[in-house]
Amino acid sequence: MSTGLSVKPSMWIQKQMRARVHSSFPEAKKINERLQNFETSFQKITYELIDKKATISAKEFKERIKKEAQLPSYVKDGKSFWYYFDEFVAFKKKTQSSYVYRDYHYSLRKHLKATESMHGRITGFSSLKQESDSFYDLFYEYLSYEAINQEGNKGLSVNTVGKNVKNLKAFLHWCFDKEICTRFPLKHMVVEQVESDKVYLTQDEIQKLYELKDLSTKEKETRDLFLIACETGMRFKNLTQIKKINYQDDQLIFFQVKSSGIKAKLIIPLSDLHRKIASSYNYELPKLTYNTFVFNKTLRSLCEEAGIDQEVLVQKVSKYGTRELVSKKYELVSSHTARRSFCTNKFLKGLPASVIMKFSGHSSERSFLKYLKLDAEVVAKKYKAFF
């Protein structure tokens, strides 16, 4: 069967059955993408026939390959990668938190588009497969060495690169499950992670934050919701959904919505600080009218005002190496710091990890341990009596 393509022998790699990509042969990339479409079409039709235990004539087989190969990214209805990416993002917006939605809608989309622009390539399902000069390799290289990080330097941190790879894989698995495209192995998409530097607030720092005076309504509500999260270990999404009926018998009772969508019933006794704050609102907690970005910005300003400004040594790990940066502690605080503070402070008070997990809603010890900020200073403080 002829593909209708022609390549000079000197520009053909026989072992890979692909055209050689070279500056003197600019058509090579398009030819290789065309060949990939033919190969993918052949595999898709073959798998369908095997699955259905069906047979067709050689002529019909050729016609189906030709028809299938015309599709821009071998997906049903001829719709593109980005058409289904938009569908996936819309699905995430309805079912996940705003944090998860933004990771796909802004971060992953931005980096894929930037890779397209840099290399003059179009993102397609076939181009993400493991092969020579694949779009995925270009995407990974862009994240690791070209994308601008928060400090204005080239190269995202290893964890940020890993997060984008993980999100890309999640999208592809969604497409596979919906039979949008032909399933292919994703073993080459390795999600790398290193231990990251995160902070927690001590009980003294939490008290300093509570004692702040002359706050605006937005500042007070931000502070109070954050402190309740420090006393309960609640996820930010759950905290914003608490109503008066959730307070019963000096306890907070609610169903925690996890990232998977599963709900787990949690019952948390009220601490003195939690009770003071909640009762000041008659147990009708304020509803935020601004997003988490504004919440975190306001929170950091409050932490600075409370004197939570000790210097913290932070390591940034990227493909360029490990850099040590000095930050003020308040600069590293976010809404999620509350959950980490709850877990760490309860552990330091002697509460067993298995019990803390009952309150925090962690289903595995592995995921729970990520929230314990057990750096050298904390470990030394906790086990000083043993020396």
Side-chain angles (χ1 to χ4, degrees), residues 294-311:
V294 176
F295 182 93
N296 288 335
K297 185 177 180 181
T298 306
L299 177 62
R300 287 169 189 144
S301 176
L302 291 169
C303 288
E304 181 181 15
E305 186 179 342
I308 305 173
D309 57 0
Q310 72 182 79
E311 293 187 337

Side-chain angles (χ1 to χ4, degrees), residues 18-31:
R18 291 292 186 272
R20 190 184 304 279
V21 178
H22 192 270
S23 58
S24 63
F25 190 41
E27 301 85 3
K29 289 182 178 180
K30 290 186 177 180
I31 289 175

Side-chain angles (χ1 to χ4, degrees), residues 29-42:
K29 289 182 178 180
K30 290 186 177 180
I31 289 175
N32 287 339
E33 289 176 356
R34 183 78 173 131
L35 289 172
Q36 184 61 53
N37 277 345
F38 272 96
E39 181 180 334
T40 303
S41 300
F42 174 86

Side-chain angles (χ1 to χ4, degrees), residues 181-345:
C181 69
T182 304
R183 187 180 294 272
F184 55 86
L186 301 179
K187 291 181 180 179
H188 60 297
M189 297 186 180
V190 180
V191 179
E192 295 181 282
Q193 292 287 310
V194 297
E195 184 178 351
S196 59
D197 292 297
K198 300 292 184 180
V199 297
Y200 80 99
L201 297 192
T202 65
Q203 289 297 152
D204 288 342
E205 289 170 333
I206 289 173
Q207 187 62 32
K208 285 182 180 179
L209 201 53
Y210 177 67
E211 292 173 354
L212 288 177
K213 306 294 183 182
D214 301 322
L215 303 180
S216 67
T217 300
K218 183 174 77 171
E219 290 174 333
K220 183 177 184 300
E221 291 178 352
T222 297
R223 189 246 350 236
D224 291 346
L225 287 174
F226 177 77
L227 292 180
I228 287 178
C230 287
E231 296 298 297
T232 59
M234 295 179 71
R235 290 184 171 90
F236 188 76
K237 180 178 181 179
N238 297 123
L239 179 63
T240 58
Q241 297 174 345
I242 292 299
K243 300 177 182 178
K244 189 171 184 178
I245 194 172
N246 294 108
Y247 287 100
Q248 298 179 26
D249 300 324
D250 208 34
Q251 300 175 129
L252 180 61
I253 304 172
F254 66 99
F255 287 90
Q256 177 173 269
V257 181
K258 300 184 179 181
S259 57
S260 62
I262 299 175
K263 295 184 178 181
K265 185 177 182 179
L266 299 181
I267 302 176
I268 303 175
L270 300 192
S271 67
D272 290 340
L273 180 58
H274 185 172
R275 191 182 301 106
K276 286 179 183 177
I277 296 173
S279 62
S280 71
Y281 292 97
N282 193 28
Y283 296 94
E284 289 279 7
L285 300 185
K287 303 299 180 184
L288 295 184
T289 57
Y290 43 91
N291 58 31
T292 50
F293 176 82
V294 176
F295 182 93
N296 288 335
K297 185 177 180 181
T298 306
L299 177 62
R300 287 169 189 144
S301 176
L302 291 169
C303 288
E304 181 181 15
E305 186 179 342
I308 305 173
D309 57 0
Q310 72 182 79
E311 293 187 337
V312 178
L313 187 63
V314 179
Q315 290 191 50
K316 295 289 186 179
V317 183
S318 72
K319 294 297 182 181
Y320 283 107
T322 301
R323 294 179 296 116
E324 291 187 347
L325 305 173
V326 177
S327 299
K328 296 290 187 178
K329 189 171 184 177
Y330 67 81
E331 296 174 333
L332 305 176
V333 174
S334 69
S335 60
H336 211 63
T337 303
R339 187 163 164 80
R340 184 170 289 104
S341 300
F342 171 82
C343 294
T344 304
N345 285 324

